[in-house]
Amino acid sequence: MTQKDQYKKLGDTLWDIANDLRGAMNADDFRDYMLSFLFLRYLSFNYEEAAKKELGKDYPKSLTKEKRADFIVPPPLELWYRDNNGDIKEFEEQMRKKVHYVIKPKYLWSNITELARTQNGELLETLQKGFRHIENESFESKFKGLFSEINLNSEKLGKTPKERNSTLCKIIQKIAEGIADFSADTDTLGDAYEYLIGKFAAGSGKKAGEFYTPQQISTILSRIVILDSQDPTTGPKSKLDKVLDFACGSGSLLLNVRTKLKEEGGTIGKIYGQEKNVTTYNLARMNMLLHGMKDTEFDIFHGDTLLNQWDLLNEMNPSKKIEFDAVVANPPFSLRWEPNDTLSEDFRFKSHGLAPKSAADFAFLLHGFHFLRDGGAMAIILPHGVLFRGGAEERIRTKLLKDNHIDTVIGLPSNLFYSTGIPVCILVLKKCKRQDDVLFINASEHYKPGKRQNSLEEDHINKIVHAYQFRSEHIERFARRVSMEEIEKNGYNLNISRYVSTSEDEVHIDLNEVNKKLTSINEKIKRSTDQHNEFLKELGLPPI
């Protein structure tokens, strides 16, 4: 079984468990329990494997050979803690160096699953203390509020503590049994976690747009920004020092950039994300760790991007300003916001103007563009309206074009997102651009139709990325490089169909030739009719 098959099968198994167990509970609510337990399982397994290597022959053998709930119980580490009290501090210091965190044995997944298996009345309290322990003590940089949205005292789990304890026992036992036979490596579990997020997103309808970018679209953005921005034909860069997603949702887009560059033999120094929704912010932090990232390799901030609440991005001294090699984003489409006089003087917007109150699309774009490094590339998903709407948006768009910052406009098919059925576009922007034209790619008709959702297959993705990478002069009904003179004549309107039409050319009809054919056909009909009438006459029948 390939790794892809492995994580998909694991994801499907967990999804079936979720549907079986959640009952009347909202899918979004159950998602938070399910993913948090999967996260605890990952941290625990990773920690115990590292402890085995650290302690070597001193790592205790289990008191029992019986395997339950995908770990040996009781946790051998608990035995070591009991017998080596004086060495615990030094051991934990070493573990912080090796895996960047510690977990007390009683909070390990193997102990939690044993409490669940035996229907122990202490499970609820142990889980609560374990979550607080991970948030406040496990990591050097505290992950405060990581489980803030996980209400273990919710009446959705049961009306009394006893009922809630019983429900949690059932959920945890089922999850543990479901994943016992699967690989526990980082990639499999991390990808299964991503797969589950996508499944929950699909089941949540429009709410999913807040935190999830379909993997096919995420892949397009990722493959574009890892290419050398000045000469994409040379292929991916060997390293991106810093990558930003200022509306990162569950972090899947950032992780996709990391994965694609890694597949090409490259590396990323650190990834940065910002997310306003606290539940999604916690999902993103768990997602990073589940994919094997150390807490020093990423920085996810909870705050409002439009108000620029992140101190890291608020440095007024230009010499200390942080800049990113790549910026990617799928911000909320046409979000209403409250621009004011203070924001009009904001360093992000001052040179271009404020986006209108009715749609913050260009406000998000200008935020990310401000922090883009001169040699970097930015790819952002936006509604088509940004390409042609007038007023303030027209002024911003015109300035970006005149300053030669808009590199590529990609039109995607409709109904690709869970949150909306409208077609969207990808804008690629650069601060230092070699070409003085704009590449238009019209991929609106390149997709695999689905009953509820359309999708992009590998061939569709490859065709889009190839057209961008090699900046095709002209591909019939698909892509074209357009001069600034032509765009200016069109009033800086970037409506894709103006430049790359997907309609078939009308077939030229030669009327003289058609007339000759019709005349010939009529003559044949007359000859045949005359011959037929001769036969009828011989038979004494009236002609037709």
Side-chain angles (χ1 to χ4, degrees):
M1 188 184 293
T2 65
Q3 185 179 309
K4 185 175 181 180
D5 291 336
Q6 177 89 215
Y7 86 71
K8 187 178 182 301
K9 189 175 180 182
L10 173 56
D12 285 335
T13 299
L14 291 167
W15 179 246
D16 290 341
I17 292 170
N19 283 330
D20 182 48
L21 292 177
R22 73 181 178 91
M25 192 185 297
N26 182 283
D28 285 340
D29 293 330
F30 194 82
R31 174 198 70 205
D32 298 332
Y33 294 108
M34 187 85 173
L35 296 180
S36 294
F37 295 147
L38 198 59
F39 177 62
L40 177 60
R41 195 263 193 181
Y42 164 74
L43 288 182
S44 299
F45 185 87
N46 195 41
Y47 189 72
E48 288 191 304
E49 289 298 299
K52 282 181 189 177
K53 292 178 182 177
E54 179 64 26
L55 294 175
K57 63 181 181 181
D58 292 331
Y59 189 78
K61 292 183 178 178
S62 175
L63 293 177
T64 174
K65 291 183 179 179
E66 186 176 13
K67 240 189 167 186
R68 290 194 184 277
D70 88 271
F71 282 128
I72 298 171
V73 291
L77 203 54
E78 190 174 335
L79 305 178
W80 187 87
Y81 265 63
R82 187 189 65 192
D83 298 336
N84 298 273
N85 191 55
D87 297 325
I88 291 175
K89 185 178 179 182
E90 184 182 349
F91 166 74
E92 290 186 346
E93 285 176 357
Q94 285 299 111
M95 291 300 285
R96 286 193 188 280
K97 291 177 183 176
K98 296 284 176 66
V99 290
H100 283 236
Y101 64 92
V102 297
I103 300 180
K104 298 293 184 186
K106 62 181 175 180
Y107 302 132
L108 289 167
W109 177 251
S110 45
N111 189 52
I112 296 296
T113 55
E114 179 64 1
L115 293 177
R117 184 187 70 82
T118 56
Q119 297 286 304
N120 194 301
E122 293 183 6
L123 173 69
L124 178 59
E125 185 180 351
T126 305
L127 260 181
Q128 288 174 324
K129 289 180 178 177
F131 283 166
R132 299 294 86 77
H133 167 70
I134 292 171
E135 285 180 332
N136 300 317
E137 299 173 41
S138 287
F139 296 86
E140 289 286 357
S141 51
K142 293 181 180 179
F143 280 77
K144 287 186 177 178
L146 191 62
F147 300 99
S148 62
E149 297 299 291
I150 313 302
N151 184 3
L152 296 175
N153 287 313
S154 170
E155 288 197 359
K156 292 173 183 177
L157 292 171
K159 291 187 176 181
T160 66
K162 186 176 180 181
E163 288 178 358
R164 291 194 283 274
N165 196 84
S166 177
T167 301
L168 286 169
C169 285
K170 184 180 178 183
I171 293 171
I172 290 168
Q173 191 175 357
K174 281 284 187 182
I175 292 173
E177 290 170 354
I179 61 180
D181 296 329
F182 288 92
S183 167
D185 66 78
T186 302
D187 289 335
T188 300
L189 204 57
D191 289 343
Y193 185 89
E194 277 281 309
Y195 182 73
L196 266 183
I197 288 175
K199 295 284 277 185
F200 277 113
S204 301
K206 291 192 174 182
K207 288 184 70 178
E210 297 175 4
F211 67 88
Y212 190 72
T213 305
Q215 284 292 313
Q216 316 115 327
I217 302 173
S218 177
T219 295
I220 295 172
L221 271 71
S222 301
R223 288 179 58 184
I224 283 174
V225 299
I226 67 172
L227 293 171
D228 186 288
S229 64
Q230 296 304 296
D231 187 2
T233 60
T234 60
K237 292 183 176 180
S238 59
K239 183 177 182 181
L240 294 173
D241 188 39
K242 298 182 184 71
V243 179
L244 170 70
D245 181 348
F246 53 79
C248 71
S250 61
S252 62
L253 182 47
L254 281 170
L255 286 167
N256 203 321
V257 175
R258 177 176 177 262
T259 299
K260 295 306 172 192
L261 188 56
K262 196 174 176 183
E263 287 173 355
E264 297 292 342
T267 58
I268 288 179
K270 190 168 183 177
I271 60 179
Y272 297 78
Q274 183 166 356
E275 175 54 40
K276 185 178 179 181
N277 181 293
V278 65
T279 304
T280 313
Y281 159 67
N282 289 331
L283 274 182
R285 294 192 289 172
M286 288 185 199
N287 208 1
M288 297 296 137
L289 294 166
L290 257 168
H291 280 82
M293 296 195 72
K294 296 182 175 64
D295 56 336
T296 54
E297 294 176 327
F298 68 91
D299 191 351
I300 309 292
F301 178 77
H302 176 225
D304 192 317
T305 296
L306 295 176
L307 298 180
N308 203 20
Q309 295 176 330
W310 197 355
D311 288 343
L312 181 76
L313 304 181
N314 246 320
E315 178 56 60
M316 301 301 291
N317 185 341
S319 64
K320 295 181 180 179
K321 172 187 168 187
I322 187 170
E323 293 182 321
F324 299 89
D325 299 296
V327 178
V328 289
N330 175 25
F333 298 155
S334 299
L335 180 74
R336 290 190 67 85
W337 72 311
E338 297 296 331
N340 53 42
D341 291 341
T342 303
L343 283 172
S344 67
E345 293 299 313
D346 190 292
F347 52 75
R348 299 168 295 164
F349 311 131
K350 194 173 182 179
S351 299
H352 296 81
L354 288 173
K357 183 186 290 188
S358 59
D361 302 309
F362 270 113
F364 281 116
L365 182 150
L366 292 173
H367 172 90
F369 187 67
H370 178 78
F371 297 105
L372 181 66
R373 182 167 289 160
D374 284 350
M378 172 179 172
I380 180 171
I381 303 167
L382 293 169
H384 269 250
V386 300
L387 302 177
F388 53 78
R389 288 191 296 239
E393 290 184 299
E394 182 181 0
R395 290 191 291 274
I396 296 171
R397 183 173 63 245
T398 299
K399 178 162 177 54
L400 287 168
L401 285 164
K402 285 183 174 180
D403 292 345
N404 200 28
H405 292 320
I406 296 180
D407 179 86
T408 304
V409 180
I410 304 170
L412 296 177
S414 59
N415 206 29
L416 292 177
F417 286 80
Y418 300 118
S419 55
T420 179
I422 65 170
V424 300
C425 65
I426 297 171
L427 288 187
V428 181
L429 296 100
K430 298 172 184 177
K431 285 190 173 175
C432 294
K433 205 179 117 192
R434 282 186 179 178
Q435 299 85 0
D436 57 1
D437 53 25
V438 176
L439 174 65
F440 285 83
I441 300 174
N442 192 342
S444 60
E445 296 188 353
H446 297 260
Y447 63 92
K448 179 183 178 182
K451 287 184 179 179
R452 294 177 58 189
Q453 205 82 30
N454 294 330
S455 60
L456 299 177
E457 296 192 311
E458 191 172 352
D459 287 348
H460 302 134
I461 295 169
N462 288 340
K463 187 171 184 179
I464 292 170
V465 176
H466 186 273
Y468 165 78
Q469 184 174 4
F470 296 97
R471 206 166 183 83
S472 310
E473 187 73 41
H474 184 225
I475 301 174
E476 187 68 29
R477 301 175 63 242
F478 187 73
R480 184 164 77 92
R481 288 168 59 177
V482 180
S483 69
M484 285 305 303
E485 288 77 15
E486 185 177 344
I487 292 171
E488 184 179 0
K489 285 177 184 176
N490 278 291
Y492 297 99
N493 184 317
L494 296 181
N495 199 341
I496 300 168
S497 59
R498 287 192 177 210
Y499 306 101
V500 183
S501 175
T502 59
S503 60
E504 296 275 7
D505 290 337
E506 288 187 13
V507 178
H508 179 70
I509 299 172
D510 188 332
L511 293 178
N512 287 326
E513 190 63 32
V514 172
N515 189 54
K516 284 180 183 178
K517 286 182 180 178
L518 287 173
T519 301
S520 174
I521 291 169
N522 282 329
E523 287 174 352
K524 286 180 182 178
I525 292 172
K526 187 177 184 308
R527 283 197 301 271
S528 297
T529 303
D530 290 344
Q531 187 178 15
H532 186 73
N533 283 335
E534 287 295 325
F535 294 144
L536 292 174
K537 184 178 179 182
E538 290 177 10
L539 295 170
L541 295 173
I544 58 172

